[in-house]
PDB file of all heavy atoms in Angstrom:
ATOM      1  N   ALA A  84     141.292 141.410  97.739  1.00  0.00           N
ATOM      2  CA  ALA A  84     140.342 140.767  96.862  1.00  0.00           C
ATOM      3  C   ALA A  84     139.230 141.809  96.511  1.00  0.00           C
ATOM      4  O   ALA A  84     138.859 142.585  97.273  1.00  0.00           O
ATOM      5  CB  ALA A  84     139.721 139.606  97.630  1.00  0.00           C
ATOM      6  N   LEU A  91     123.862 146.438 103.795  1.00  0.00           N
ATOM      7  CA  LEU A  91     124.336 147.705 104.172  1.00  0.00           C
ATOM      8  C   LEU A  91     123.243 148.639 104.293  1.00  0.00           C
ATOM      9  O   LEU A  91     122.495 148.854 103.279  1.00  0.00           O
ATOM     10  CB  LEU A  91     125.440 148.214 103.274  1.00  0.00           C
ATOM     11  CG  LEU A  91     126.113 149.571 103.376  1.00  0.00           C
ATOM     12  CD1 LEU A  91     125.193 150.713 102.854  1.00  0.00           C
ATOM     13  CD2 LEU A  91     126.511 149.810 104.895  1.00  0.00           C
ATOM     14  N   HIS A  92     122.902 149.222 105.459  1.00  0.00           N
ATOM     15  CA  HIS A  92     121.896 150.230 105.550  1.00  0.00           C
ATOM     16  C   HIS A  92     122.670 151.577 105.383  1.00  0.00           C
ATOM     17  O   HIS A  92     123.533 151.936 106.232  1.00  0.00           O
ATOM     18  CB  HIS A  92     121.253 150.121 106.934  1.00  0.00           C
ATOM     19  CG  HIS A  92     120.689 148.757 107.322  1.00  0.00           C
ATOM     20  ND1 HIS A  92     119.388 148.505 107.062  1.00  0.00           N
ATOM     21  CD2 HIS A  92     121.288 147.657 107.727  1.00  0.00           C
ATOM     22  CE1 HIS A  92     119.160 147.245 107.405  1.00  0.00           C
ATOM     23  NE2 HIS A  92     120.294 146.681 107.828  1.00  0.00           N
ATOM     24  N   PRO A  99     129.988 159.602 113.087  1.00  0.00           N
ATOM     25  CA  PRO A  99     129.588 160.668 114.017  1.00  0.00           C
ATOM     26  C   PRO A  99     130.167 162.027 113.501  1.00  0.00           C
ATOM     27  O   PRO A  99     129.413 163.066 113.667  1.00  0.00           O
ATOM     28  CB  PRO A  99     130.428 160.307 115.274  1.00  0.00           C
ATOM     29  CG  PRO A  99     130.441 158.740 115.110  1.00  0.00           C
ATOM     30  CD  PRO A  99     130.492 158.390 113.717  1.00  0.00           C
ATOM     31  N   TYR A 115     124.274 165.119 122.066  1.00  0.00           N
ATOM     32  CA  TYR A 115     125.551 164.722 122.399  1.00  0.00           C
ATOM     33  C   TYR A 115     126.477 165.991 122.479  1.00  0.00           C
ATOM     34  O   TYR A 115     126.377 166.872 121.628  1.00  0.00           O
ATOM     35  CB  TYR A 115     126.223 163.843 121.395  1.00  0.00           C
ATOM     36  CG  TYR A 115     125.423 162.562 121.007  1.00  0.00           C
ATOM     37  CD1 TYR A 115     124.671 162.490 119.798  1.00  0.00           C
ATOM     38  CD2 TYR A 115     125.357 161.480 121.853  1.00  0.00           C
ATOM     39  CE1 TYR A 115     123.915 161.455 119.451  1.00  0.00           C
ATOM     40  CE2 TYR A 115     124.608 160.367 121.521  1.00  0.00           C
ATOM     41  CZ  TYR A 115     123.903 160.339 120.333  1.00  0.00           C
ATOM     42  OH  TYR A 115     123.172 159.248 120.023  1.00  0.00           O
ATOM     43  N   GLN A 123     130.878 157.046 122.695  1.00  0.00           N
ATOM     44  CA  GLN A 123     130.698 156.488 124.015  1.00  0.00           C
ATOM     45  C   GLN A 123     129.318 155.862 124.087  1.00  0.00           C
ATOM     46  O   GLN A 123     129.047 154.827 124.706  1.00  0.00           O
ATOM     47  CB  GLN A 123     130.825 157.510 125.081  1.00  0.00           C
ATOM     48  CG  GLN A 123     132.283 157.922 125.465  1.00  0.00           C
ATOM     49  CD  GLN A 123     133.054 156.756 125.835  1.00  0.00           C
ATOM     50  OE1 GLN A 123     132.573 156.001 126.706  1.00  0.00           O
ATOM     51  NE2 GLN A 123     134.307 156.651 125.502  1.00  0.00           N
ATOM     52  N   ASN A 129     121.226 145.142 122.894  1.00  0.00           N
ATOM     53  CA  ASN A 129     120.392 144.403 122.040  1.00  0.00           C
ATOM     54  C   ASN A 129     120.141 145.175 120.774  1.00  0.00           C
ATOM     55  O   ASN A 129     120.513 146.359 120.653  1.00  0.00           O
ATOM     56  CB  ASN A 129     119.103 143.812 122.672  1.00  0.00           C
ATOM     57  CG  ASN A 129     118.254 145.041 123.305  1.00  0.00           C
ATOM     58  OD1 ASN A 129     118.198 146.097 122.685  1.00  0.00           O
ATOM     59  ND2 ASN A 129     117.756 144.801 124.438  1.00  0.00           N
ATOM     60  N   LEU A 144     119.493 163.955 108.551  1.00  0.00           N
ATOM     61  CA  LEU A 144     119.369 163.886 107.121  1.00  0.00           C
ATOM     62  C   LEU A 144     118.184 164.484 106.617  1.00  0.00           C
ATOM     63  O   LEU A 144     117.027 164.098 106.867  1.00  0.00           O
ATOM     64  CB  LEU A 144     119.362 162.388 106.721  1.00  0.00           C
ATOM     65  CG  LEU A 144     120.557 161.597 107.012  1.00  0.00           C
ATOM     66  CD1 LEU A 144     120.304 160.103 106.972  1.00  0.00           C
ATOM     67  CD2 LEU A 144     121.720 161.903 106.107  1.00  0.00           C
ATOM     68  N   ASP A 149     122.109 166.076 101.595  1.00  0.00           N
ATOM     69  CA  ASP A 149     122.511 165.236 102.759  1.00  0.00           C
ATOM     70  C   ASP A 149     122.475 163.803 102.421  1.00  0.00           C
ATOM     71  O   ASP A 149     123.476 163.110 102.776  1.00  0.00           O
ATOM     72  CB  ASP A 149     121.513 165.485 103.992  1.00  0.00           C
ATOM     73  CG  ASP A 149     121.426 166.925 104.420  1.00  0.00           C
ATOM     74  OD1 ASP A 149     122.349 167.607 104.221  1.00  0.00           O
ATOM     75  OD2 ASP A 149     120.346 167.244 105.073  1.00  0.00           O
ATOM     76  N   GLN A 176     110.403 154.701 105.181  1.00  0.00           N
ATOM     77  CA  GLN A 176     109.406 155.079 106.175  1.00  0.00           C
ATOM     78  C   GLN A 176     110.050 155.957 107.301  1.00  0.00           C
ATOM     79  O   GLN A 176     109.364 156.857 107.910  1.00  0.00           O
ATOM     80  CB  GLN A 176     108.772 153.887 106.823  1.00  0.00           C
ATOM     81  CG  GLN A 176     107.796 153.191 105.864  1.00  0.00           C
ATOM     82  CD  GLN A 176     107.585 151.743 106.278  1.00  0.00           C
ATOM     83  OE1 GLN A 176     108.576 150.900 106.128  1.00  0.00           O
ATOM     84  NE2 GLN A 176     106.438 151.353 106.611  1.00  0.00           N
ATOM     85  N   ILE A 192     120.451 159.601  97.192  1.00  0.00           N
ATOM     86  CA  ILE A 192     121.233 158.367  97.280  1.00  0.00           C
ATOM     87  C   ILE A 192     121.667 158.042  95.868  1.00  0.00           C
ATOM     88  O   ILE A 192     122.797 157.584  95.629  1.00  0.00           O
ATOM     89  CB  ILE A 192     120.378 157.243  97.866  1.00  0.00           C
ATOM     90  CG1 ILE A 192     120.087 157.593  99.356  1.00  0.00           C
ATOM     91  CG2 ILE A 192     121.065 155.865  97.851  1.00  0.00           C
ATOM     92  CD1 ILE A 192     119.129 156.592 100.086  1.00  0.00           C
ATOM     93  N   GLU A 202     133.065 157.125  88.713  1.00  0.00           N
ATOM     94  CA  GLU A 202     134.368 157.534  89.213  1.00  0.00           C
ATOM     95  C   GLU A 202     135.099 156.352  89.692  1.00  0.00           C
ATOM     96  O   GLU A 202     136.298 156.304  89.597  1.00  0.00           O
ATOM     97  CB  GLU A 202     134.263 158.666  90.238  1.00  0.00           C
ATOM     98  CG  GLU A 202     133.810 159.998  89.708  1.00  0.00           C
ATOM     99  CD  GLU A 202     133.920 161.061  90.606  1.00  0.00           C
ATOM    100  OE1 GLU A 202     134.525 160.929  91.705  1.00  0.00           O
ATOM    101  OE2 GLU A 202     133.370 162.130  90.310  1.00  0.00           O
ATOM    102  N   SER A 212     113.754 149.114 102.052  1.00  0.00           N
ATOM    103  CA  SER A 212     113.282 148.233 103.171  1.00  0.00           C
ATOM    104  C   SER A 212     112.074 148.782 103.907  1.00  0.00           C
ATOM    105  O   SER A 212     112.006 150.066 104.171  1.00  0.00           O
ATOM    106  CB  SER A 212     114.469 148.141 104.199  1.00  0.00           C
ATOM    107  OG  SER A 212     115.446 147.299 103.679  1.00  0.00           O
ATOM    108  N   LEU A 214     109.932 148.945 107.463  1.00  0.00           N
ATOM    109  CA  LEU A 214     110.156 148.847 108.902  1.00  0.00           C
ATOM    110  C   LEU A 214     109.147 147.895 109.540  1.00  0.00           C
ATOM    111  O   LEU A 214     107.904 148.232 109.411  1.00  0.00           O
ATOM    112  CB  LEU A 214     110.064 150.214 109.532  1.00  0.00           C
ATOM    113  CG  LEU A 214     111.064 151.281 109.031  1.00  0.00           C
ATOM    114  CD1 LEU A 214     110.906 152.596 109.797  1.00  0.00           C
ATOM    115  CD2 LEU A 214     112.489 150.701 109.139  1.00  0.00           C
ATOM    116  N   ALA A 238     114.952 145.893  94.709  1.00  0.00           N
ATOM    117  CA  ALA A 238     114.430 144.839  95.581  1.00  0.00           C
ATOM    118  C   ALA A 238     113.807 145.576  96.767  1.00  0.00           C
ATOM    119  O   ALA A 238     113.927 146.738  96.996  1.00  0.00           O
ATOM    120  CB  ALA A 238     115.602 144.026  96.110  1.00  0.00           C
ATOM    121  N   ALA A 239     113.045 144.723  97.456  1.00  0.00           N
ATOM    122  CA  ALA A 239     112.339 145.204  98.697  1.00  0.00           C
ATOM    123  C   ALA A 239     112.971 144.348  99.864  1.00  0.00           C
ATOM    124  O   ALA A 239     113.226 143.145  99.756  1.00  0.00           O
ATOM    125  CB  ALA A 239     110.887 144.937  98.700  1.00  0.00           C
ATOM    126  N   GLY A 264     107.662 142.778  90.369  1.00  0.00           N
ATOM    127  CA  GLY A 264     108.980 142.410  89.777  1.00  0.00           C
ATOM    128  C   GLY A 264     110.149 142.676  90.709  1.00  0.00           C
ATOM    129  O   GLY A 264     111.320 142.756  90.187  1.00  0.00           O
ATOM    130  N   ASP A 301     118.274 125.061 114.015  1.00  0.00           N
ATOM    131  CA  ASP A 301     117.376 124.149 113.456  1.00  0.00           C
ATOM    132  C   ASP A 301     117.931 123.398 112.216  1.00  0.00           C
ATOM    133  O   ASP A 301     117.997 123.913 111.111  1.00  0.00           O
ATOM    134  CB  ASP A 301     116.054 124.972 112.978  1.00  0.00           C
ATOM    135  CG  ASP A 301     114.964 124.104 112.371  1.00  0.00           C
ATOM    136  OD1 ASP A 301     115.250 122.975 112.038  1.00  0.00           O
ATOM    137  OD2 ASP A 301     113.875 124.662 112.220  1.00  0.00           O
ATOM    138  N   ARG A 311     118.081 124.676  98.917  1.00  0.00           N
ATOM    139  CA  ARG A 311     117.462 125.733  97.989  1.00  0.00           C
ATOM    140  C   ARG A 311     118.407 126.800  97.592  1.00  0.00           C
ATOM    141  O   ARG A 311     118.055 127.815  96.902  1.00  0.00           O
ATOM    142  CB  ARG A 311     116.197 126.253  98.666  1.00  0.00           C
ATOM    143  CG  ARG A 311     115.163 125.175  98.979  1.00  0.00           C
ATOM    144  CD  ARG A 311     113.780 125.823  99.310  1.00  0.00           C
ATOM    145  NE  ARG A 311     113.110 125.095 100.462  1.00  0.00           N
ATOM    146  CZ  ARG A 311     112.093 125.576 101.187  1.00  0.00           C
ATOM    147  NH1 ARG A 311     111.672 126.780 100.861  1.00  0.00           N
ATOM    148  NH2 ARG A 311     111.599 124.876 102.147  1.00  0.00           N
ATOM    149  N   ASP A 330     130.884 136.651 122.071  1.00  0.00           N
ATOM    150  CA  ASP A 330     132.242 137.022 121.844  1.00  0.00           C
ATOM    151  C   ASP A 330     132.571 136.676 120.435  1.00  0.00           C
ATOM    152  O   ASP A 330     131.932 135.749 119.891  1.00  0.00           O
ATOM    153  CB  ASP A 330     133.068 136.068 122.719  1.00  0.00           C
ATOM    154  CG  ASP A 330     134.492 136.465 122.801  1.00  0.00           C
ATOM    155  OD1 ASP A 330     135.229 136.054 121.865  1.00  0.00           O
ATOM    156  OD2 ASP A 330     134.928 137.240 123.715  1.00  0.00           O
ATOM    157  N   ALA A 342     128.424 123.655 107.076  1.00  0.00           N
ATOM    158  CA  ALA A 342     127.022 123.151 106.794  1.00  0.00           C
ATOM    159  C   ALA A 342     126.705 123.258 105.350  1.00  0.00           C
ATOM    160  O   ALA A 342     125.628 122.729 104.950  1.00  0.00           O
ATOM    161  CB  ALA A 342     126.060 123.818 107.736  1.00  0.00           C
ATOM    162  N   ASP A 352     125.717 148.191 109.515  1.00  0.00           N
ATOM    163  CA  ASP A 352     125.678 149.567 109.896  1.00  0.00           C
ATOM    164  C   ASP A 352     127.120 150.017 110.401  1.00  0.00           C
ATOM    165  O   ASP A 352     127.313 150.168 111.611  1.00  0.00           O
ATOM    166  CB  ASP A 352     124.629 149.844 111.020  1.00  0.00           C
ATOM    167  CG  ASP A 352     123.300 149.423 110.691  1.00  0.00           C
ATOM    168  OD1 ASP A 352     122.667 150.179 109.920  1.00  0.00           O
ATOM    169  OD2 ASP A 352     122.848 148.314 110.997  1.00  0.00           O
ATOM    170  N   ASP A 369     141.539 137.573 112.559  1.00  0.00           N
ATOM    171  CA  ASP A 369     142.213 137.744 113.834  1.00  0.00           C
ATOM    172  C   ASP A 369     141.861 136.771 114.918  1.00  0.00           C
ATOM    173  O   ASP A 369     142.630 136.414 115.804  1.00  0.00           O
ATOM    174  CB  ASP A 369     141.988 139.184 114.444  1.00  0.00           C
ATOM    175  CG  ASP A 369     142.695 140.200 113.440  1.00  0.00           C
ATOM    176  OD1 ASP A 369     143.567 139.853 112.621  1.00  0.00           O
ATOM    177  OD2 ASP A 369     142.444 141.462 113.749  1.00  0.00           O
TER     178      ASP A 369
END
Side-chain angles (χ1 to χ4, degrees):
L91 176 279
H92 304 265
Y115 306 104
Q123 286 296 321
N129 54 39
L144 299 166
D149 297 340
Q176 286 155 297
I192 295 173
E202 287 186 15
S212 284
L214 299 182
D301 179 346
R311 301 191 219 166
D330 190 277
D352 301 281
D369 289 350

